[in-house]
């Protein structure tokens, strides 16, 4: 008779960790690789994965980071596995999203919330929050009959009430508009602590579930490390995320969201202000007047009309600068390797190569993000290719220019003037040759600093952070791709199924060579392009890893964590012969080269197999090893193999009843009449060791196992 003793788990029926399981990473045939993706490309259907290994995916993602900085094409969908990050530190409470019907939420999040809330909010150790009454899934048909529905609903309400008094904590580390603070306070405890030193930030962060910063706060690896796993969301109140270590965030399962749209116009207007102000020496002439001078001939400017402006980075800000410059009568060309030529053409802008842009321009305006590729993009070599007397505007990031090279170019006259809002080091040192240069007009990173933009950014980031803390889909995630709401809605029950199958499969392991190789088979009527399995894979990974480690796995870090542990997950599809509209007929999880504490779960191939499907929106276990069962995946499960004879259900039911363990479902599957059968029993509670012992003592029961979902 099997027990819960195994190299994976300690002798308690409560599963704990094992540290020796997983080793070698494998190969990847992930189809999601290397398409040069435009920023915020969210859902790449071509990324459908036939067989996918995490390590190459991670590299791929890094590649995207390097080239576009916005990253959203990478790994997989954040949301589900956020698993209501806030809850990981509030284990016994229910996230407040359960408190409000979806239609009472803020407009931006409402739509997504409806679809995402339930299946995407399980917790690290606790059970998935039970569905709300208005989203109660239908009962499973046929063999699976819920005995305890009323009680479950009551339990939900109790949980909801219990969750009301514990709030997550959000640290706001830089000045944020009042409207955003107000929104945050409706949901969280808000700690506004500005001008923290790096040490102070690290000290505080362990008490915070979310952190909101602008561009001045460096959120480096040490911040994530210091958080002790509590920090679940970093909100960048603005566009540029170069001050956040995205790699470290991902490794720590921390979502990074930004506010990509609210300051676009402000930044573009500032670019235009610098362009025009520089051309007419406004700042210098103003300073001269204030110094008591009247220098009309010294400050003769240059005209803009008819001049060529090269917009470097034709994204949101760049496009708006281009539009406005055309209104000023300028010829506008642009360079952006990822921008659409059609979109540019529609605006009357020609996309050209980097060299063409810089050599043809009278004015060059920089609007690309700071990445390893764009760092020091303007340098000695590139200045040498420019027209003599060119003028440079930089409202992007100081680091895209080699500042020493710019000083030289200004001194030599290659560059006639520069207007700079941003510097490599902010603020620049008091003796910065560049900031003090007479040909330079400088502002202290004011691009986003209008009243309107700051309010907009504050609201945008507050909604994103609150949404993420609630476990909702993050539509502005920068270290995880986003999923169209309709896809998410469709996949939701399958995601839950995948996680539970992973959880069951790994709990069946009792030794062998460690959980290194997992094969997932999706039976679907859909073609590969119509079914993106990344989210499913991430959740299966979560289900497999969490019961055997102390790692919090979510959609952000699932592939990374699998790779770290040497867990190779391969995926395959089989074509399901069905006319049904559902995306998946079944999901099968197999773990190779292991022993099982429940021998019936092992196939002839030596693999542990569990398989399930979604029935009426509810995940069901339908196969264990070679046995067919049919049990709804709620609560916990006892699997028994017994001699197929009358009275077995009653006998086990009695034992559980005597121990006050509620049975929610029972299902029996057999290979041959009166020979051997598998009984799957859904239980709401954790049976005592005594009860499990009694089940084991029933003569006809050959083996049994208790599994937590
Ligand atoms: N000064 C400020 O206060 C302020 C305000 C807003 C934005 N910004 C900066 O401006 C940048 C652009 O903001 P946005 O909202 O337009 O972002 P965006 O993502 O909409 O646009 C960035 C564009 O740069 C392009 N790009 C990427 N790599 C490139 C390369 N090597 N060469 C040319 N183009 C490249 C991208 O394809 C994209 O189209 C931000 O990253 C931020 O750093 C500064
Ligand atoms: O990237 C941005 O959004 C701008 O640089 C604004 O930065 P700020 O929030 O520090 O003003």
């Amino acid at each position: 008779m099997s027990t819960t003793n195994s190299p994976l788990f300690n002798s308690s029926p409560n599963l704990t960790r094992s540290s020796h399981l997983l080793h070698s990473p494998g190969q990847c045939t992930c189809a999601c690789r290397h398409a040069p993706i435009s920023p915020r490309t969210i859902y790449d259907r071509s990324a459908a994965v036939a067989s996918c290994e995490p390590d190459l995916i991670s590299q791929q993602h890094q590649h995207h980071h390097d080239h576009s900085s916005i990253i959203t094409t990478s790994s997989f969908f954040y949301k589900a596995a956020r698993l209501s990050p806030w809850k990981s530190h509030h284990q016994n409470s229910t996230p407040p999203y359960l408190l409000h019907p979806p239609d009472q939420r803020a407009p931006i999040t409402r739509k997504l919330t409806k679809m995402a809330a339930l299946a995407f909010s399980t917790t690290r150790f606790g059970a998935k929050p039970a569905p709300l009454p208005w989203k109660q899934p239908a009962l499973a048909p046929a063999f699976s009959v819920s005995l305890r529905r009323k009680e479950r609903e009551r339990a939900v309400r109790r949980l909801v009430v219990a969750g009301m008094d514990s709030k997550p904590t959000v640290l706001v580390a830089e000045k944020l508009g009042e409207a955003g603070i107000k929104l945050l306070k409706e949901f969280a405890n808000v700690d506004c602590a500005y001008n923290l030193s790096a040490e102070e930030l690290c000290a505080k962060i362990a008490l915070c579930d979310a952190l909101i910063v602008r561009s001045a706060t460096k959120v480096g690896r040490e911040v994530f490390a210091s958080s002790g796993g509590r920090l679940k969301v970093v909100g960048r109140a603005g566009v540029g995320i170069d001050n956040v270590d995205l790699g470290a965030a991902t490794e720590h399962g921390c979502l990074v969201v930004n506010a990509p749209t609210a300051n676009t116009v402000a930044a573009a207007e500032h670019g235009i202000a610098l362009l025009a102000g520089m051309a007419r020496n406004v700042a210098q002439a103003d300073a001269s007047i204030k110094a008591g001078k009247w220098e009309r001939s010294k400050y003769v400017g240059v005209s803009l009309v008819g001049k060529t402006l090269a917009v470097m980075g034709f994204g949101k800000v760049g496009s708006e600068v281009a539009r406005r410059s055309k209104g000023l009568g300028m010829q506008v060309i642009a360079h952006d390797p990822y921008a659409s030529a059609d979109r540019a053409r529609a605006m009357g802008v020609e996309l050209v190569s980097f060299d063409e842009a810089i050599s043809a321009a009278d004015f060059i305006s920089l609007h690309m993000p700071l990445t390893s590729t764009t760092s020091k993009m303007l340098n000695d070599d590139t200045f040498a290719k420019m027209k003599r007397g060119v003028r440079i505007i930089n409202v992007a990031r100081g680091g895209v220019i080699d500042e020493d090279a710019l000083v030289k170019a200004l001194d030599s006259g290659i560059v006639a003037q520069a207007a700079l809002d941003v510097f490599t080091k902010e603020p620049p040192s008091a003796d910065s040759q560049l900031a003090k240069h007479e040909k330079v007009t400088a502002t202290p990173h004011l691009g986003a600093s209008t009243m309107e933009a700051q309010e907009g950014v504050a609201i945008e980031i507050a909604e994103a952070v609150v949404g993420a803390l609630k476990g909702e889909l993050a539509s502005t995630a920068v270290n995880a791709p986003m999923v169209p709401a309709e896809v998410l809605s469709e996949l939701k029950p399958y995601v839950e199924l995948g996680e539970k199958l992973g959880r069951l499969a790994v709990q069946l392991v009792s030794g062998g060579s460690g959980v290194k190789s997992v094969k997932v088979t999706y039976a679907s009527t859909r073609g590969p392009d119509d079914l993106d399995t990344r989210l499913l894979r991430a959740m299966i990974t979560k289900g497999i890893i969490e019961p055997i480690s102390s790692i919090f796995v979510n959609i952000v870090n699932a592939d990374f964590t699998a790779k770290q542990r040497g867990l190779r997950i391969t995926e395959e599809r089989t074509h399901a012969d069905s006319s049904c509209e559902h995306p998946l007929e079944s999901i099968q999880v197999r773990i190779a080269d292991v022993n099982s504490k429940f021998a019936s779960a092992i196939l002839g191939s030596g693999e542990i197999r569990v398989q399930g499907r979604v029935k009426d929106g509810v995940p069901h276990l339908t196969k264990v090893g070679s046995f067919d069962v049919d049990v709804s995946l709620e609560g916990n499960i006892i699997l028994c193999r017994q001699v197929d004879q009358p009275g077995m259900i009653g006998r086990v039911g009695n034992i559980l009843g005597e121990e006050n363990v509620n049975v929610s479902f029972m299902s029996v599957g057999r290979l041959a009449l009166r020979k051997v059968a598998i009984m799957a029993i859904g239980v709401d509670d954790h049976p005592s060791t005594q009860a499990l012992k009694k089940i084991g003592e029933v003569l006809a029961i050959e083996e049994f196992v208790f599994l937590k979902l």
Side-chain angles (χ1 to χ4, degrees), residues 174 214-216 236-240 259 263 395-397 422 445 448-449 454:
E174 287 183 66
R214 288 178 59 182
S215 60
R236 161 65 174 105
V239 189
N263 67 21
V395 191
R397 283 293 180 269
V422 283
H445 203 145
S449 296
Q454 281 312 299

Side-chain angles (χ1 to χ4, degrees), residues 678-708:
I678 292 276
M679 180 160 54
I681 307 162
V683 288
D684 292 343
D685 314 290
H686 193 317
S688 65
T689 315
Q690 180 68 9
L692 293 173
K693 190 162 171 276
K694 280 189 194 166
I695 292 174
E697 284 164 4
V698 175
L699 271 183
I701 291 183
E702 294 169 345
E703 62 169 351
F704 82 98
V705 65
F706 172 72
L707 304 167
K708 292 182 74 171

Side-chain angles (χ1 to χ4, degrees), residues 338-351:
Y338 312 109
S340 141
D342 287 347
R343 185 171 66 85
R345 212 170 297 119
M347 287 178 59
V349 173
E350 192 193 350
L351 279 186

Side-chain angles (χ1 to χ4, degrees), residues 431-469:
D431 59 352
S432 161
Q433 284 190 54
L434 184 62
K436 292 170 74 175
H437 204 288
E438 59 169 357
K439 295 178 181 173
V440 169
T441 304
T443 50
H445 203 145
L446 290 180
S449 296
T450 62
M451 304 295 284
E452 297 83 353
Q454 281 312 299
E455 281 305 284
V457 162
I459 292 169
E460 197 175 8
I461 201 62
E463 287 194 333
V465 167
V466 168
L469 286 172

Side-chain angles (χ1 to χ4, degrees), residues 172-228:
V172 180
E174 287 183 66
K175 183 94 180 80
L176 194 68
E178 268 312 310
I181 300 283
K182 190 163 172 272
L183 268 175
L184 290 170
K185 282 185 174 165
E186 284 169 15
F187 175 73
N189 297 314
V190 180
D191 179 1
C192 293
Y194 307 146
N195 304 316
L196 293 174
S197 67
E199 293 73 28
E200 288 166 335
L201 176 59
C202 286
K204 252 181 182 293
I205 206 69
L207 302 172
C208 301
D209 302 281
L211 166 68
I212 295 182
V213 297
R214 288 178 59 182
S215 60
T217 307
K218 303 282 169 258
V219 189
R221 179 170 290 278
E222 64 288 353
V223 174
F224 297 101
S226 305
S227 91

Side-chain angles (χ1 to χ4, degrees), residues 366-540:
L366 303 173
H367 300 289
M368 72 287 278
L370 176 61
T371 66
S372 55
T373 340
T374 62
S375 174
K376 297 193 177 175
M377 227 172 161
L378 299 195
N379 51 43
D380 286 331
D381 291 343
T382 53
F383 283 126
K385 293 177 184 166
M386 293 176 192
K387 265 189 189 173
R388 194 168 176 81
V390 66
R391 289 176 166 80
I392 313 270
I393 303 106
N394 188 5
V395 191
R397 283 293 180 269
V400 301
I401 300 179
D402 177 338
E403 292 180 338
D404 293 338
L406 177 56
V407 171
K408 280 187 262 166
L410 285 162
D411 287 342
S412 70
I414 293 177
V415 175
Q417 286 180 298
L420 309 172
D421 183 45
V422 283
F423 294 86
T424 303
K425 178 171 164 281
E426 292 183 356
S429 54
D431 59 352
S432 161
Q433 284 190 54
L434 184 62
K436 292 170 74 175
H437 204 288
E438 59 169 357
K439 295 178 181 173
V440 169
T441 304
T443 50
H445 203 145
L446 290 180
S449 296
T450 62
M451 304 295 284
E452 297 83 353
Q454 281 312 299
E455 281 305 284
V457 162
I459 292 169
E460 197 175 8
I461 201 62
E463 287 194 333
V465 167
V466 168
L469 286 172
K470 286 176 176 174
E472 290 165 7
L473 177 69
S475 62
T476 59
V478 291
N479 61 344
M482 296 154 282
V483 190
E486 63 278 9
V487 176
L488 188 65
S489 165
E490 191 180 45
L491 284 182
K492 183 179 70 178
Y494 301 93
V495 162
E496 195 182 337
L497 173 66
E499 184 188 351
K500 288 186 168 173
L501 289 176
R503 218 165 255 280
L504 286 187
V506 81
Q507 288 179 70
L508 288 166
V509 174
S510 70
S513 51
V515 180
K516 289 189 291 193
S517 172
V518 174
K519 188 172 196 172
V520 181
T521 306
Y522 308 100
S524 172
T525 52
R526 304 231 175 133
D529 288 353
D530 283 337
L531 181 67
D532 191 322
T533 58
R534 290 172 298 172
L535 178 56
L536 298 166
R537 185 182 70 242
M539 295 305 283
I540 293 166

Side-chain angles (χ1 to χ4, degrees), residues 12-238:
S12 156
N14 281 319
L15 300 172
T16 55
R17 89 185 61 168
S18 162
S19 56
H20 65 280
L21 292 178
L22 313 164
H23 315 287
S24 57
Q27 296 304 306
C28 177
T29 54
C30 173
C32 68
R33 74 186 101 174
H34 304 301
I37 312 120
S38 67
R40 299 238 166 265
T41 300
I42 307 302
Y43 177 56
D44 179 5
R45 282 184 176 266
S46 71
V49 176
S51 168
C52 195
E53 182 65 26
D55 51 352
L56 288 185
I57 297 171
S58 301
Q59 289 165 17
Q60 163 66 5
H61 299 158
Q62 189 55 49
H63 167 92
H64 290 157
H65 298 190
D66 289 344
H67 286 76
S68 77
S69 95
I70 296 293
I71 307 164
T72 49
T73 50
S74 60
S75 53
F76 18 89
F77 323 179
Y78 158 65
K79 166 54 191 263
R82 283 321 289 138
L83 303 173
S84 191
W86 165 71
K87 279 206 68 179
S88 67
H89 287 271
H90 301 267
Q91 299 293 342
N92 298 318
S93 57
T94 300
Y97 71 77
L98 289 175
L99 302 177
H100 309 290
D103 58 356
Q104 290 175 14
R105 293 190 193 100
I108 286 181
T109 55
R110 186 185 303 142
K111 196 172 112 215
L112 300 174
T113 305
K114 277 186 164 177
M115 304 185 206
L118 295 177
F120 302 108
S121 53
T122 53
T123 63
R124 169 65 181 82
F125 297 110
K128 179 180 86 68
L132 288 169
W134 61 86
K135 291 285 278 185
Q136 194 69 263
L139 276 180
F143 293 95
S144 306
V145 180
S146 169
L147 304 177
R148 306 283 308 158
R149 183 170 172 149
K150 283 254 151 47
E151 286 77 354
R152 287 207 313 272
E153 287 179 6
R154 273 200 289 275
V156 171
R157 283 187 207 108
R158 278 199 299 276
L159 272 175
V160 167
V161 173
M164 289 178 78
D165 44 12
S166 65
K167 284 180 164 185
T169 296
V170 178
L171 173 61
V172 180
E174 287 183 66
K175 183 94 180 80
L176 194 68
E178 268 312 310
I181 300 283
K182 190 163 172 272
L183 268 175
L184 290 170
K185 282 185 174 165
E186 284 169 15
F187 175 73
N189 297 314
V190 180
D191 179 1
C192 293
Y194 307 146
N195 304 316
L196 293 174
S197 67
E199 293 73 28
E200 288 166 335
L201 176 59
C202 286
K204 252 181 182 293
I205 206 69
L207 302 172
C208 301
D209 302 281
L211 166 68
I212 295 182
V213 297
R214 288 178 59 182
S215 60
T217 307
K218 303 282 169 258
V219 189
R221 179 170 290 278
E222 64 288 353
V223 174
F224 297 101
S226 305
S227 91
R230 176 158 174 179
L231 183 65
K232 291 301 170 207
V233 191
V234 170
R236 161 65 174 105

